[in-house]
Amino acid sequence: MAALVLLLSGCGKSDPVPMFVGTYTDKGSDGIYSYSFDQESGKASPQHSVKVTNPSYLTLVSEDSCMYCVSEGEGDNASVSAYHVGMRSGRMLFINRVSAHGDDPCHLMTYTNRLFVANYGSGNISMYDIDRDGSIYDTGEKLSFNNPSYGDSTRQSSSHIHQLVKAPDGHFMFAVDLGGDCIYKYELRPTFKEGTPAKIDLPKGCGPRHIAFTPDARTMYVITELSDEVLVFDYNADNGDVKLRQRVKASDAGARGGSEVEVSPDGKYLYAGVRLKNDGVAIFKIGAGGTLKKVGYQKTGRHPRMFKITPNGKFLLVACRDDNVIQVYKRDAETGLLENTERDIKVSQPSCIAFGDATAW
């Protein structure tokens, strides 16, 4: 056990933040790469990599030093894997792998000792138990949805679950159905409650993709893939109810490629990614009641599938899948605007960025 701790923890200062990157692997990528990211200089130092097929999304449980990732694919090629990770060393040790019980797994969420997986292609959620050693126990449980919208004939002919997210208060889980133009709400307290969830209907044809909350948990934002909008909702933490307050365009290019949404750690700015046309990140100032005012648009490399703000809020990193690079932007805390540092991280088809906690070890 002592050797395992030494292998995983490594040595050295814990000031830099651990960073793990998931990729698509059909053009030569190993799979997952780890880095030590300096939050003061914006420099990433490569550490390790592991071979796994199409780990397009991963999530970290820093306090347990575990990582879970999807292998995006269909049938037997769709799976979920568990790893022990060293938050300082960046080393990743394989634990086990289970079937995703669905096609095209694209997102993961953990809650206590449970793992939830969003399967985009088959429109279902698979649920697992997490054992004490971090391994995934396959319970065979899943929730299936059949709620087509037909706002878009190719992407909305059936349910497509694209994200699972906990509200900041930890009381509710939201499952985003891009194909059904809706969001499902499940209660998590004291345990996950199965059965028919509350359904939040969204504007037809918008294609919701991802969710972000303000730090005070009073506002929920939804980036839409098909209408390239950000939907602003009042959020009631007591019962998980939401009320639409505002709709704003992230892009007027008609890209139909909204990708990611995130709120800065200080709660002052919101960022929304757009792909396929005029690729970039829209910048909004958050005003009274969580309403948004657009203050800028930062063009990026091709296909910004995901971006992530560093824990200290100083940098925003953009995974530009089709340019095989993660661009590092310095964020102005006063204006919210972004400046390219030119400290590009070269990696084949990056799709996901996750920051860990070096103090976990």
Side-chain angles (χ1 to χ4, degrees):
M1 182 63 181
L4 174 63
V5 171
L6 180 63
L7 171 64
L8 290 174
S9 63
C11 58
K13 297 180 179 180
S14 60
D15 293 337
V17 65
M19 184 174 81
F20 297 82
V21 175
T23 67
Y24 287 99
T25 56
D26 57 309
K27 294 183 179 179
S29 168
D30 280 352
I32 302 175
Y33 297 83
S34 65
Y35 301 83
S36 177
F37 187 84
D38 189 322
Q39 293 189 88
E40 294 305 315
S41 69
K43 181 181 179 180
S45 300
Q47 293 181 311
H48 299 279
S49 66
V50 292
K51 287 185 177 294
V52 55
T53 302
N54 288 340
S56 61
Y57 187 81
L58 56 88
T59 190
L60 295 167
V61 183
S62 293
E63 61 268 27
D64 295 331
S65 295
C66 288
M67 176 177 68
Y68 302 95
C69 76
V70 303
S71 282
E72 188 175 328
E74 297 181 352
D76 293 340
N77 295 320
S79 62
V80 185
S81 300
Y83 292 85
H84 286 301
V85 295
M87 290 299 170
R88 295 181 186 176
S89 68
R91 292 189 182 276
M92 297 164 276
L93 298 179
F94 177 74
I95 304 174
N96 76 322
R97 180 174 294 120
V98 296
S99 169
H101 295 300
D103 294 335
D104 304 314
C106 64
H107 206 272
L108 301 164
M109 189 200 87
T110 60
Y111 177 71
T112 60
N113 64 338
R114 297 278 276 167
L115 176 68
F116 300 84
V117 179
N119 292 306
Y120 178 87
S122 51
N124 67 286
I125 300 171
S126 298
M127 299 179 289
Y128 309 83
D129 289 335
I130 299 174
D131 285 343
R132 293 181 66 181
D133 65 353
S135 61
I136 307 168
Y137 177 73
D138 193 345
T139 64
E141 298 175 77
K142 65 180 181 180
L143 302 168
S144 298
F145 305 89
N146 183 18
N147 188 39
S149 171
Y150 297 106
D152 181 293
S153 60
T154 58
R155 284 180 273 187
Q156 294 193 303
S157 60
S158 63
S159 284
H160 293 303
I161 307 300
H162 209 297
Q163 187 195 38
L164 305 171
V165 63
K166 291 189 297 280
D169 47 68
H171 295 160
F172 299 94
M173 177 182 84
F174 293 91
V176 183
D177 186 348
L178 188 151
D181 281 329
C182 64
I183 298 171
Y184 303 102
K185 180 186 74 177
Y186 288 93
E187 190 171 357
L188 291 173
R189 53 183 177 186
T191 58
F192 175 74
K193 294 184 179 180
E194 296 186 39
T196 303
K199 180 167 164 283
I200 303 166
D201 289 314
L202 302 181
K204 186 176 177 61
C206 70
R209 181 180 172 93
H210 279 187
I211 289 174
F213 288 87
T214 51
D216 63 9
R218 293 182 178 179
T219 308
M220 181 178 83
Y221 302 102
V222 179
I223 181 74
T224 65
E225 180 169 318
L226 301 180
S227 62
D228 302 318
E229 292 177 286
V230 179
L231 307 181
V232 182
F233 293 87
D234 294 329
Y235 176 68
N236 186 331
D238 291 332
N239 55 22
D241 287 349
V242 300
K243 181 179 180 181
L244 183 62
R245 173 184 281 264
Q246 185 186 21
R247 298 174 66 177
V248 294
K249 276 285 189 180
S251 172
D252 292 316
R256 299 174 68 77
S259 60
E260 187 60 283
V261 63
E262 189 169 0
V263 177
S264 60
D266 59 15
K268 294 181 179 179
Y269 289 93
L270 177 134
Y271 299 84
V274 178
R275 308 158 294 168
L276 307 182
K277 290 182 181 179
N278 194 33
D279 293 4
V281 176
I283 305 163
F284 297 91
K285 183 172 179 58
I286 299 176
T291 55
L292 301 177
K293 178 181 179 182
K294 196 171 186 179
V295 295
Y297 191 87
Q298 177 65 52
K299 290 189 176 182
T300 66
R302 292 181 299 157
H303 205 100
R305 192 176 189 274
M306 184 190 189
F307 60 81
K308 200 72 178 174
I309 300 173
T310 54
N312 68 354
K314 191 170 181 178
F315 296 96
L316 184 148
L317 281 66
V318 184
C320 301
R321 189 195 68 183
D322 291 357
D323 275 336
N324 303 308
V325 69
I326 296 174
Q327 295 178 321
V328 179
Y329 290 89
K330 188 173 182 179
R331 197 181 72 86
D332 189 311
E334 295 302 317
T335 66
L337 299 182
L338 303 173
E339 177 186 356
N340 195 342
T341 67
E342 307 296 337
R343 289 187 176 274
D344 290 355
I345 304 167
K346 302 291 186 180
V347 58
S348 178
Q349 297 192 96
S351 61
C352 179
I353 302 166
F355 292 111
D357 180 4
T359 64
W361 273 91

